[in-house]
Amino acid sequence: MTIPELDISLAERAYVRLRQEILNCDLAPGQMVSERELARRYDMSKTPIREALSQVCHDGLMHRLPGRGYMVAPITVKDIQDIFDLRLILELAAAKRAAENPSPKQIATLKELAGVRYSLDDRESHIAFLRTNRTFHLTLAEAAENQRLVDRLEELLIEMDRIFHLGLRLRDSSEEMVREHQEVVAALEIGDVEGIQDAIARQIIASRDRVMESILQGELQPVQVSG
Amino acid sequence: MTIPELDISLAERAYVRLRQEILNCDLAPGQMVSERELARRYDMSKTPIREALSQVCHDGLMHRLPGRGYMVAPITVKDIQDIFDLRLILELAAAKRAAENPSPKQIATLKELAGVRYSLDDRESHIAFLRTNRTFHLTLAEAAENQRLVDRLEELLIEMDRIFHLGLRLRDSSEEMVREHQEVVAALEIGDVEGIQDAIARQIIASRDRVMESILQGELQPVQVSG
DNA sequence: GGCATAAACGTGGTATACCAGCTATACTCC
DNA sequence: GGAGTATAGCTGGTATACCACGTTTATGCC
């Protein structure tokens, strides 16, 4: 067994760790960080830290404030609306192409992913579930055979992860999401182009509505309603 | 009058300049460059150069080959297909939203942009025309009121610029493009949702076909057909 | 006490020196 | 002459010292 951490650069390690901390909201939206502070905490010099920060800024997860530090990107209601809107655009297009050009291998993968559940109390299983969900949607997108589309969608799904980690309660939506995913697979299996697009649209809109409901209930405190 | 170059960082200046050289194909697709070489040429140290290179890599315009240098991203036929495909997805969605929610100010801007022509022999006017074309499509996308969508589209249009700069002859398509753009504006003015989507689709597909035709004629040598 | 002012601290920005790894060249040995 | 090997010169990767600028805090004057 190799130790992959030794093979990759410090900058890459810093980037992965930093991004994960942002997505987990261990670094809260709006929080300020500095290069030196991160360098101390990650036990490396400023150089790889700067590179990692540069990357997460490019990902839109942080903002660079020259002379003042770096701010973890706040999340606004508009952000959430835009992310779901763009997801809808990309995934509907991808689903259409997937249904027109189905791959038995991908269908099998999707069927397996669609069945994954998670248990209520286990934070780890929540994280695993989100990862599975992301893989499901990316696998579907890959059927469109457009790497740029897949990459853009992955960026959006990563931002979604962060929103969920703000503390969204998933307990009531587990069975619902499984069913929604299975509907997508079912439509794909019979090559129902209209059906899969309907299923995808329903799934994304339902997911958006669940998030929005949580915000209106004040469950997701860090979300800025304005802006 | 201020001298803006003094206000921005060396890293930012290096990024802008480097990106422009890539888009202009002054740095040819597939060409290798090194940090030290760029540092000498731009008359600054490795540090800001590294940051600029990091950015263009993230933009997909370069690839980092650890221990060997940086390679200007090659352009493949698949790339071109994917870019146009994704453009179609994003712009159709944006056009739909624009037609449903028209803004008189944006219509006026689009009408003005649609009329811009260029002269055959002047390289500068070619560049200006490409910029106008980009602005036209971005202005339309802004009507969708989704900044993420606009940003993603801008990335694609920047890659388009690079393809055109490979040496595509635009001479035969000037009037054609002006007419295509005017059709889009006309549909938008009367709020014809179907019409604007048809016009956008026609315009993008026609543009793609013109590029593909050039490639098949061997006009765009640097394009890799495989990969 | 309140306000202006100055000094101390923290920030990102940059240059530089050094390191490990890879490449290509040239040299030696067969 | 050809193949294997050593070496010189690249490459990106990292740590560090220093700089200018902005912010905040403390200080002294009113």
Side-chain angles (χ1 to χ4, degrees):
Chain A
M1 176 176 168
T2 61
I3 304 175
E5 291 186 4
L6 295 178
D7 291 69
I8 62 177
S9 67
L10 290 180
E12 182 69 15
R13 258 185 276 179
Y15 171 66
V16 170
R17 179 171 171 185
L18 179 59
R19 200 183 75 170
Q20 199 55 52
E21 288 187 350
I22 297 171
L23 296 180
N24 289 349
C25 292
D26 295 331
L27 292 175
Q31 182 176 342
M32 297 293 299
V33 299
S34 78
E35 296 179 352
R36 283 171 177 80
E37 169 202 341
L38 277 178
R40 264 196 312 272
R41 196 148 65 84
Y42 289 5
D43 191 32
M44 51 183 82
S45 81
K46 275 178 56 178
T47 310
I49 295 293
R50 262 184 80 78
E51 184 154 336
L53 282 164
S54 178
Q55 301 284 345
V56 295
C57 284
H58 208 277
D59 290 340
L61 294 174
M62 275 203 165
H63 299 303
R64 191 176 230 149
L65 308 179
R68 292 201 293 154
Y70 294 81
M71 183 174 68
V72 179
I75 301 176
T76 68
V77 169
K78 182 75 169 72
D79 282 322
I80 297 175
Q81 287 169 340
D82 284 0
I83 290 170
F84 276 105
D85 188 38
L86 194 47
R87 263 192 75 185
L88 208 49
I89 293 169
L90 293 178
E91 295 206 40
L92 282 180
K96 181 163 175 287
R97 287 160 176 73
E100 289 168 347
N101 177 32
S103 146
K105 189 163 175 290
Q106 278 173 331
I107 291 177
T109 304
L110 287 171
K111 194 181 282 190
E112 188 186 334
L113 290 169
V116 174
R117 287 171 171 74
Y118 64 98
S119 62
L120 255 164
D121 310 319
D122 185 3
R123 177 185 154 94
E124 286 305 314
S125 90
H126 279 210
I127 293 176
F129 179 73
L130 287 173
R131 188 165 49 235
T132 302
N133 181 57
R134 198 162 77 198
T135 307
F136 179 88
H137 288 273
L138 285 178
T139 302
L140 187 63
E142 278 166 10
E145 294 184 336
N146 186 325
Q147 191 56 45
R148 278 176 175 73
L149 192 159
V150 175
D151 291 344
R152 300 300 169 267
L153 182 58
E154 185 169 18
E155 290 170 4
L156 290 177
L157 293 177
I158 284 172
E159 291 199 82
M160 297 282 315
D161 259 28
R162 183 158 166 249
I163 294 168
F164 282 118
H165 274 99
L166 279 175
L168 185 62
R169 294 277 71 80
L170 295 170
R171 57 182 173 283
D172 297 322
S173 50
S174 170
E175 293 302 322
E176 205 174 335
M177 289 181 79
V178 169
R179 182 168 46 71
E180 288 161 358
H181 283 170
Q182 286 171 341
E183 281 174 15
V184 173
V185 175
L188 182 61
E189 272 189 304
I190 60 174
D192 180 0
V193 177
E194 299 284 330
I196 191 173
Q197 290 191 93
D198 286 349
I200 283 284
R202 272 201 306 277
Q203 204 264 313
I204 294 177
I205 289 173
S207 183
R208 183 194 63 192
D209 290 346
R210 283 193 290 268
V211 170
M212 285 301 178
E213 195 184 349
S214 288
I215 294 171
L216 294 181
Q217 290 175 354
E219 204 176 306
L220 302 183
Q221 295 299 345
V223 176
Q224 299 182 353
V225 178
S226 65
Chain B
M1 176 176 166
T2 60
I3 304 175
E5 290 187 4
L6 295 179
D7 292 70
I8 62 177
S9 66
L10 291 180
E12 181 70 13
R13 259 185 276 179
Y15 172 66
V16 170
R17 180 172 171 185
L18 180 58
R19 201 182 75 168
Q20 199 56 51
E21 288 186 350
I22 296 171
L23 296 181
N24 288 350
C25 293
D26 296 331
L27 292 175
Q31 182 177 342
M32 296 293 299
V33 298
S34 78
E35 296 179 352
R36 283 170 177 81
E37 168 203 341
L38 277 178
R40 266 197 311 272
R41 196 149 65 83
Y42 288 6
D43 192 32
M44 51 183 81
S45 80
K46 276 177 55 179
T47 310
I49 295 293
R50 263 184 77 81
E51 183 153 337
L53 281 165
S54 178
Q55 301 282 348
V56 295
C57 284
H58 210 273
D59 290 340
L61 294 174
M62 276 202 165
H63 299 303
R64 192 175 230 151
L65 308 179
R68 293 200 294 154
Y70 296 80
M71 182 175 68
V72 180
I75 302 176
T76 68
V77 170
K78 181 73 168 73
D79 281 323
I80 297 175
Q81 287 170 340
D82 284 0
I83 290 170
F84 275 105
D85 187 38
L86 193 46
R87 264 192 75 185
L88 208 50
I89 292 170
L90 293 178
E91 294 205 42
L92 282 179
K96 181 165 176 285
R97 286 161 176 72
E100 289 167 348
N101 178 33
S103 146
K105 190 162 174 292
Q106 279 173 329
I107 292 177
T109 304
L110 288 171
K111 194 180 282 189
E112 189 186 333
L113 291 169
V116 174
R117 286 170 171 74
Y118 64 98
S119 62
L120 255 164
D121 310 318
D122 184 4
R123 176 185 155 94
E124 286 306 313
S125 90
H126 278 210
I127 294 175
F129 179 73
L130 287 174
R131 187 165 50 235
T132 302
N133 181 57
R134 200 162 76 198
T135 307
F136 178 87
H137 288 273
L138 284 177
T139 302
L140 187 63
E142 278 166 9
E145 295 184 335
N146 186 326
Q147 191 56 45
R148 279 175 175 74
L149 193 159
V150 175
D151 291 343
R152 300 300 169 265
L153 182 59
E154 185 169 18
E155 290 170 4
L156 290 177
L157 293 176
I158 284 172
E159 293 199 82
M160 297 281 316
D161 259 28
R162 183 157 167 250
I163 295 168
F164 282 117
H165 274 99
L166 280 176
L168 186 63
R169 295 275 71 81
L170 294 169
R171 57 180 174 283
D172 297 321
S173 51
S174 171
E175 293 302 322
E176 206 174 334
M177 288 181 78
V178 168
R179 181 170 43 74
E180 288 161 357
H181 283 171
Q182 285 171 341
E183 281 174 16
V184 172
V185 176
L188 182 61
E189 272 188 303
I190 61 175
D192 180 1
V193 177
E194 299 284 330
I196 191 174
Q197 292 192 93
D198 286 350
I200 283 282
R202 271 200 307 277
Q203 204 263 312
I204 294 177
I205 289 173
S207 184
R208 183 195 64 190
D209 290 347
R210 283 193 290 268
V211 171
M212 285 300 178
E213 194 184 351
S214 289
I215 294 171
L216 293 181
Q217 290 175 356
E219 205 175 305
L220 302 183
Q221 294 299 346
V223 176
Q224 300 182 352
V225 177
S226 63

